[in-house]
């Protein structure tokens, strides 16, 4: 009996021991399975903590917002650039239709990039947009450099480069923030190599902001959407590719329609607006390809930075051979091309900043990847030193004064109204428009030719512009024809106030947008005149169809005699240059046209956009159609072309 009890007890102990051993074994297995997950979570937690901003970073951000996020104090004013910048806001305030009434490379939200006190709403939204751009750029720079440096040092770097990017404006800052977010996303995919919900965030965010920028400034929106597309396709599997592209397309369509309709625009105007914006962007590359000032140093510095960026990108791609590093090469090429087109097409110190900022932010983004981040940061510093025109961008006292004025304009309505009225008075003092002309303009739709869009605002006139409202920006036949048709189809009481001025960039103002000028000469009659101003009233067409009199080949540098015409006849020329070689065309397309068309008219030589060489170019204007210089009666004696081709002269009879 005792033996039986002993055996039973031993059996129970053995069973309990076996059960405990099994439990311990199962716990060990679970622990082994959980270990990799725990390690990954700990690693991600450490990385997240490392990137969280500390007190120093927050203080530097506050200083950045103070200096770089100032509200606008701009009030519309006369001049070449101030007029088109204010004109975007005027178009929105007057409920003009983008794509029909207005065709420009800025869209219905373009006033966000150049907020002026056309209205309080525009100024307030512009302030919020600018502050958001500063916030985004600062923190993305901080996230790029924080893993390599302390929070305080990372804050200083983010402050310095964000303030240095002031010439880019809010839209440009968002492009560079998008660039850095793209590089961070590719680096994140390279280190994780797994598909999670986090992969959706950069694609959706870049696409949404890029779509907004498309309706702010067309070219900046295109480049940011290109970066969003690169993030969407830089994945390791077809499943991820389909997901990424689907997210991008859905985000683009929804965001575009919401913004377009929210701006009070019509769905039917989307296609003509996109077409017109594309025409202006592409035409700009050829029409304004010019070198101004001391340009050699800019090219040398740009070449050095391009080599640095290319070396870093290709080294990463060759060393790692992944989709993410291949994406780095494509991103670098896209941004360098964007910077070069913006910075060196119309090449002067103010424009070349675009390239140096693009190169600088690319190198800042590479600090996450390279083994010697300090060397990369030194190269980036060389790029950013080329950007600011002075240390005034870093002046906290100047920023303080701008905050004082900007906030007062936003909050104090009496102060704002007084300031705006003072701005109108200053503009009127500049224009010096006689009362006789003002009275002739009142009560009629007014277009101001060629560029002073602030004038109708200064005199409280009814602004009714042609679609490309600064006419020299109609760089292509399509844009030129839009303006010509707008003049012809304008209301019967339409008037054009033309200022006697010279062409820009050594272009002949008699040939700027030739179809538009022909429509103006034939369909408008002279009204009041005073000093440099002439009023032209819409009337019936007084010109016959053109008839060809002479068509002949021309050789480069050989003068061509202009045929004589009789009284009451106008002569126009159509020049068709021989096409450039394939190599030259590729250089022009990829980089810049360093050999523009030049046409000599008697003793002067002018640049002529190649897209507009078919004219019809005015070479003779009779007294019956003339108004004031440079559109007084004239006839050129000879023309000289710098490229071989064919020239055709046509006579138009004045009825």
């Amino acid at each position: 009996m005792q033996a039986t009890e002993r055996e039973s007890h031993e059996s129970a102990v053995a069973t309990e021991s076996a059960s405990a051993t099994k439990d311990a074994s199962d716990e060990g297995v679970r622990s082994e399975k959980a270990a990799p997950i725990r390690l990954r979570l700990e690693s991600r937690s450490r990385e997240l903590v490392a990137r969280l901003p500390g007190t120093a970073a927050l203080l530097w951000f506050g200083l950045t917002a103070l200096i770089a996020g100032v509200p606008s104090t701009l009030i519309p004013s006369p001049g070449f650039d101030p007029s088109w910048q204010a004109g975007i806001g005027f178009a929105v305030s007057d409920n003009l239709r983008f794509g029909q009434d207005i065709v420009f490379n800025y869209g219905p939200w373009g006033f966000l990039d150049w907020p002026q006190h056309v209205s309080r709403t525009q100024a307030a939204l512009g302030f919020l947009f600018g502050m958001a751009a500063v916030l985004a750029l600062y923190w993305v720079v901080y996230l790029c450099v924080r893993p390599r440096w302390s929070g305080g040092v990372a804050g200083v770097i983010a402050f310095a480069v964000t303030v240095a990017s002031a010439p880019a404006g809010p839209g440009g800052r968002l492009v560079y923030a998008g660039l850095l977010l793209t590089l961070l996303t590719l680096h994140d995919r390279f280190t994780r190599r797994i598909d999670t919900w986090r992969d959706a965030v950069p694609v959706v965010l870049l696409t949404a902001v890029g779509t907004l920028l498309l309706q702010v400034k067309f070219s900046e929106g295109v480049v940011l959407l290109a970066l969003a597309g690169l993030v969407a396709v830089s994945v390791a599997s077809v499943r991820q590719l389909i997901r990424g592209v689907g997210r991008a397309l859905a985000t683009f369509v929804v965001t575009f329609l919401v913004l377009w309709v929210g701006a009070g625009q019509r769905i039917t105007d989307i296609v003509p607006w996109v077409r017109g914006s594309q025409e202006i962007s592409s035409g700009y590359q050829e029409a304004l390809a010019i070198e101004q000032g001391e340009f050699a140093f800019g090219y040398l510095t740009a070449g050095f930075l391009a080599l640095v960026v290319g070396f870093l990108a290709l080294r990463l791609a060759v060393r790692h051979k992944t989709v993410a590093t291949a994406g780095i090469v494509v991103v670098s090429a896209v941004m360098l091309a964007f910077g070069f087109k913006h910075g060196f097409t119309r090449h002067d110190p103010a424009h070349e900043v675009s390239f140096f900022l693009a190169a600088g932010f690319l190198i800042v983004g590479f600090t996450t990847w390279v083994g010697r981040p300090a060397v990369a940061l030194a190269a980036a510093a060389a790029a950013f030193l080329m950007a600011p025109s002075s240390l005034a961008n870093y002046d906290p006292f100047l920023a303080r004064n701008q905050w004082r004025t900007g906030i007062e304009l936003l909050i104090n309505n009496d102060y704002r109204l007084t300031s705006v009225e003072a701005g109108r008075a200053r503009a009127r003092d500049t224009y010096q428009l006689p009362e006789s002309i003002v009275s002739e303009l009142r009560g009629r739709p007014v277009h101001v030719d060629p560029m002073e869009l602030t004038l109708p605002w200064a005199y409280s006139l009814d602004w009714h512009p042609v679609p490309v409202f600064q006419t020299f920006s109609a760089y292509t036949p399509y844009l030129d024809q839009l303006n010509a048709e707008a003049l012809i189809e304008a209301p019967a009481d339409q008037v054009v106030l033309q200022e006697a001025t010279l062409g820009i960039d050594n272009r002949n103002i008699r040939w700027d947008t030739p179809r538009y000028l022909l429509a103006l000469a034939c369909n408008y009659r002279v009204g009041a005149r005073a000093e440099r101003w002439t009023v032209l009233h819409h009337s019936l067409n007084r010109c016959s169809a053109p008839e060809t009199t002479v068509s002949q080949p021309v050789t480069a540098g050989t003068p061509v005699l202009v045929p004589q015409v009789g009284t009451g006849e106008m002569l126009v020329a159509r020049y068709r240059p021989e096409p450039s070689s394939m190599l030259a065309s590729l250089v022009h397309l990829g980089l810049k046209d360093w050999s523009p068309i030049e046409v000599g008219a008697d003793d002067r030589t002018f640049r002529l956009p190649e897209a507009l060489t078919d004219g019809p170019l005015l070479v003779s204007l009779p007294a019956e159609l003339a108004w004031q210089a440079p559109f007084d009666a004239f006839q050129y004696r000879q023309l000289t072309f710098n490229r071989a081709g064919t020239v055709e002269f046509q006579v138009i009879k004045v009825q």
Side-chain angles (χ1 to χ4, degrees):
M1 183 69 178
Q2 290 179 351
T4 302
E5 290 178 353
R6 208 167 32 248
E7 288 174 0
S8 176
H9 176 71
E10 290 174 355
S11 175
V13 170
T15 301
E16 184 178 346
S17 176
S19 177
T21 302
K22 183 177 183 302
D23 291 343
S25 176
D26 291 344
E27 182 67 26
V29 171
R30 284 195 297 271
S31 178
E32 289 176 3
K33 290 182 178 179
I37 298 175
R38 185 170 59 252
L39 290 174
R40 284 201 300 270
L41 289 174
E42 290 175 355
S43 175
R44 297 302 299 168
S45 298
R46 285 194 298 270
E47 182 181 345
L48 181 61
V49 170
R51 291 187 175 187
L52 284 176
T55 303
L58 292 173
L59 290 174
W60 280 110
F61 169 70
L63 185 60
T64 305
L66 171 68
I67 293 179
V70 294
S72 171
T73 60
L74 295 176
I75 291 173
S77 60
F80 174 64
D81 286 331
S83 278
W84 69 255
Q85 292 161 7
I88 303 167
F90 296 148
V92 174
S93 294
D94 292 351
N95 298 314
L96 298 183
R97 295 166 56 189
F98 282 76
Q100 294 292 335
D101 302 323
I102 294 294
V103 174
F104 201 42
N105 59 330
Y106 284 81
W109 294 96
F111 66 87
L112 295 176
D113 223 16
W114 295 99
Q116 302 201 23
H117 287 272
V118 173
S119 74
R120 179 184 291 178
T121 300
Q122 289 185 20
L125 290 175
F127 167 60
L128 295 176
F129 181 72
M131 183 60 78
V134 170
L135 171 67
L137 185 57
Y138 177 91
W139 288 116
V140 179
V141 172
Y142 181 86
L143 291 175
C144 280
V145 299
R146 178 62 183 90
R148 298 303 185 95
W149 286 281
S150 67
V153 173
V156 172
I157 295 171
F159 161 77
V161 300
T162 301
V163 176
S165 66
R173 279 177 165 148
L174 286 175
V175 169
Y176 299 130
L179 164 64
L180 295 180
L181 179 59
T182 299
L183 295 176
L184 281 172
T185 301
L186 294 176
H187 182 265
D188 195 40
R189 289 179 180 174
F190 172 75
T191 55
R192 288 186 299 113
R193 301 188 184 183
I194 56 174
D195 184 21
T196 69
W197 64 269
R198 290 170 50 191
D199 287 310
V201 175
V203 173
V204 171
L205 187 59
L206 287 170
T207 304
V209 178
T211 306
L212 170 60
L213 280 187
L214 195 70
Q215 296 185 35
V216 174
K217 186 177 182 181
F218 187 80
S219 57
E220 291 180 344
V222 168
V223 75
L224 194 51
L225 288 173
L227 293 177
L230 286 170
V231 172
V233 302
S234 297
V235 291
S237 70
V238 176
R239 182 181 179 184
Q240 290 174 290
L241 176 65
I242 294 173
R243 283 182 177 178
V245 172
R247 290 164 183 155
L249 289 176
T251 303
F252 173 77
V253 172
V254 172
T255 307
F256 189 97
L257 292 177
V258 168
L259 290 171
W260 188 262
V261 175
Q265 301 299 310
R266 301 182 186 180
I267 300 296
T268 54
D269 292 336
I270 292 176
V271 172
W273 174 74
V274 171
R275 168 74 188 278
S277 298
Q278 187 275 329
E279 289 276 340
I280 289 180
S281 296
S282 61
Y284 175 93
Q285 305 301 323
E286 190 267 328
L288 294 183
I290 191 171
E291 302 288 345
Q292 293 182 327
E294 301 167 341
F295 55 82
F297 182 68
Y299 276 118
L300 291 174
T301 308
F304 165 74
L305 292 171
L307 288 174
V308 171
V309 171
F311 171 77
L312 293 174
L314 290 173
R315 185 183 181 190
L316 286 171
V318 171
R319 176 175 294 182
H320 298 291
K321 296 183 178 66
T322 65
V323 174
T325 53
I328 293 291
V329 176
V330 179
V331 168
S332 301
V334 168
M335 289 306 301
L336 289 179
F338 168 78
F340 188 87
K341 289 289 188 180
H342 278 68
F344 287 90
T345 295
R346 182 180 173 87
H347 184 198
D348 54 40
H351 284 86
E352 68 181 14
V353 167
S354 296
F355 179 86
F356 297 123
L357 289 177
F361 280 110
L362 274 169
I363 299 172
V364 167
F366 287 153
T367 58
T368 308
W369 296 76
V370 298
R372 296 181 178 179
V375 176
L377 195 62
F384 287 115
L385 283 174
M386 295 291 291
S389 57
S390 71
L391 292 177
N393 290 337
Y394 295 89
D395 187 348
F397 304 107
L398 178 61
R400 175 201 61 194
N401 295 337
Q402 289 177 312
W403 273 99
R404 178 180 289 121
T405 303
I407 293 298
E408 199 71 22
L409 285 168
L410 287 173
I411 294 177
N412 188 333
N413 191 53
D414 290 339
Y415 180 83
R416 176 183 167 276
L417 292 176
T418 301
S419 299
V420 168
E421 188 51 45
R424 291 182 192 268
R426 288 192 298 271
R428 291 193 294 268
D429 288 342
T430 300
Y431 293 130
Q432 293 290 310
L433 206 59
E435 184 57 37
S436 59
I437 287 186
V438 175
S439 61
E440 191 164 332
L441 298 176
R442 290 203 186 280
R444 295 182 172 91
V446 178
H447 163 58
V448 181
D449 180 88
M451 65 180 183
E452 287 296 345
L453 310 182
T454 304
L455 187 147
W457 171 82
Y459 289 92
S460 301
L461 301 174
D462 178 13
W463 185 48
H464 188 270
V466 294
V468 186
F469 49 37
Q470 284 190 325
T471 51
F472 56 80
S473 296
Y475 307 123
T476 68
Y478 171 81
L479 299 171
D480 189 16
Q481 187 63 31
L482 281 182
N483 278 359
E485 291 174 356
L487 280 182
I488 295 169
E489 298 169 3
D493 59 345
Q494 174 77 43
V495 293
V496 175
L497 177 64
Q498 188 179 68
E499 181 183 17
T501 184
L502 300 176
I504 65 169
D505 297 336
N506 197 36
R507 286 163 58 181
N508 189 345
I509 197 168
R510 292 168 173 167
W511 296 344
D512 263 346
T513 61
R515 291 175 176 84
Y516 163 84
L517 288 173
L518 185 61
L520 189 63
C522 292
N523 294 272
Y524 285 73
R525 60 178 175 80
V526 178
R529 300 183 188 180
E531 299 177 357
R532 68 184 192 272
W533 302 101
T534 300
V535 179
L536 302 171
H537 291 263
H538 197 189
S539 66
L540 297 176
N541 182 14
R542 295 174 289 167
C543 297
S544 68
E547 298 179 3
T548 300
T549 59
V550 177
S551 180
Q552 65 183 80
V554 297
T555 56
T558 302
V560 176
L561 294 178
V562 175
Q564 297 296 308
V565 294
T567 303
E569 292 182 333
M570 174 168 49
L571 189 69
V572 297
R574 294 179 179 272
Y575 167 52
R576 301 176 182 90
E578 292 181 354
S580 302
S581 66
M582 182 176 294
L583 177 60
S585 298
L586 290 174
V587 171
H588 298 167
L589 179 64
L591 295 173
K592 175 180 177 177
D593 184 359
W594 279 281
S595 56
I597 297 290
E598 293 183 343
V599 180
D602 294 341
D603 56 351
R604 287 202 59 186
T605 300
F606 301 97
R607 294 178 65 255
L608 179 63
E610 187 167 351
L612 298 178
T613 56
D614 193 41
L617 308 173
L618 291 176
V619 293
S620 172
L621 187 67
E624 291 86 346
L625 297 180
W627 48 100
Q628 68 172 359
F631 295 98
D632 50 349
F634 73 92
Q635 173 157 354
Y636 292 127
R637 299 184 303 276
Q638 65 180 25
L639 302 177
T640 307
F641 305 91
N642 70 335
R643 190 188 299 178
T646 302
V647 64
E648 178 182 353
F649 293 100
Q650 296 178 327
V651 172
I652 298 175
K653 298 183 183 298
V654 179
Q655 300 171 351

